[in-house]
Amino acid sequence: MKSTGIVRKVDELGRIVLPIELRRTLDIAIKDPLGIYVEGNHIIFKKYNPSCMFCGDAKDVVNYKGKNICKHCFEELKKSI
């Protein structure tokens, strides 16, 4: 994990501010959804991307067991079983 050297305090409502430099670097705009994950004692924020984990297509995506898969790839997977 790469350190940015940036430290922020949590406010009284539990919020933190993501610095503009990080938002620009990671292409996070106002009102973009972020996924929040926990790995051990780390909190991980990821820009939410509802595209297929296999082909990257964002059309006709369904969530199967926590993974985003487009209908085409889902059908391909069913055929291979």
Side-chain angles (χ1 to χ4, degrees), residues 49-52 55-62 68-70:
N49 185 0
S51 61
C52 176
C55 71
D57 191 359
K59 186 178 177 187
D60 295 324
V61 174
V62 295
N68 292 324
I69 305 172
C70 72

Side-chain angles (χ1 to χ4, degrees), residues 2-61:
K2 183 179 173 185
S3 174
T4 63
I6 299 169
V7 177
R8 293 287 191 246
K9 291 186 179 183
V10 178
D11 74 7
E12 58 278 349
L13 295 176
R15 299 175 298 197
I16 60 167
V17 174
L18 296 176
I20 190 71
E21 297 85 7
L22 286 177
R23 289 182 281 148
R24 285 180 180 152
T25 300
L26 299 173
D27 193 28
I28 298 171
I30 294 170
K31 297 193 178 184
D32 276 352
L34 296 178
I36 303 171
Y37 304 88
V38 175
E39 189 173 291
N41 63 348
H42 299 280
I43 300 170
I44 301 168
F45 292 93
K46 289 185 179 181
K47 187 172 179 178
Y48 178 70
N49 185 0
S51 61
C52 176
M53 63 181 288
F54 297 112
C55 71
D57 191 359
K59 186 178 177 187
D60 295 324
V61 174

